[in-house]
Amino acid sequence: MEKVKVIKERLKTAQSHQKSYSDVHRRYLEFKEDDWVFLNVSPMKGVLQFGKKGIEFEVNEEMLYEEIPIVILDRQVQKLRNKEIASVKVLWRNQQSEEATWEAEEEMKKKYPHFFG
């Protein structure tokens, strides 16, 4: 129990040092209405950054950006014990082919039926 207490104290000390260091270097940004800003937007699955800098995106009033699929690149079926899960590889607008993501085929059919004709 004594070693656990020592470990907890050392963790607390290390966390305190990290917090004080980050507090010194933190910048609080304030924006006004009609300010122009660059956004780092990533899709719902995984965190990916856009390779191109300075791309302007359309953002709606709620400050949300909708990612739009361009083409379905591939399809796969994952077999589990009792069921099969179909997935499609989707290339999204403003992304490169390396950044394509695997999405559930059923969800994509609901949102974008025109891809499945």
Side-chain angles (χ1 to χ4, degrees):
M1 292 304 279
E2 189 62 37
K3 286 185 179 182
V4 172
K5 287 182 183 179
V6 171
I7 291 170
K8 283 184 179 180
E9 287 175 14
R10 288 183 182 169
L11 280 172
K12 196 172 191 179
T13 303
Q15 287 173 344
S16 174
H17 285 224
Q18 289 174 348
K19 183 181 182 328
S20 64
Y21 179 79
S22 66
D23 285 348
V24 170
H25 292 87
R26 180 169 286 129
R27 290 186 311 162
Y28 292 98
L29 302 175
E30 292 185 15
F31 299 103
K32 299 178 191 122
E33 192 171 323
D34 294 331
D35 281 352
W36 286 79
V37 297
F38 285 100
L39 300 177
N40 184 9
V41 182
S42 54
M44 290 174 31
K45 301 233 178 194
V47 177
L48 299 173
Q49 293 183 349
F50 291 99
K52 298 178 183 176
K53 301 273 185 202
I55 297 175
E56 297 291 341
F57 296 100
E58 295 179 20
V59 180
N60 62 17
E61 295 81 28
E62 292 86 29
M63 298 303 289
L64 298 174
Y65 169 76
E66 183 182 355
E67 196 61 87
I68 299 172
I70 297 174
V71 68
I72 293 177
L73 300 174
D74 198 5
R75 183 178 187 274
Q76 73 178 8
V77 177
Q78 222 174 4
K79 294 184 180 183
L80 302 177
R81 288 183 184 173
N82 299 328
K83 62 180 177 179
E84 295 180 349
I85 301 174
S87 301
V88 290
K89 191 171 188 178
V90 180
L91 178 61
W92 301 95
R93 182 181 64 182
N94 297 324
Q95 291 189 354
Q96 299 168 355
S97 60
E98 306 89 52
E99 298 172 324
T101 58
W102 287 98
E103 306 290 338
E105 186 175 17
E106 287 301 317
E107 290 297 317
M108 292 299 292
K109 279 184 180 178
K110 288 178 190 173
K111 288 184 180 178
Y112 311 102
H114 58 277
F115 281 108
F116 298 92

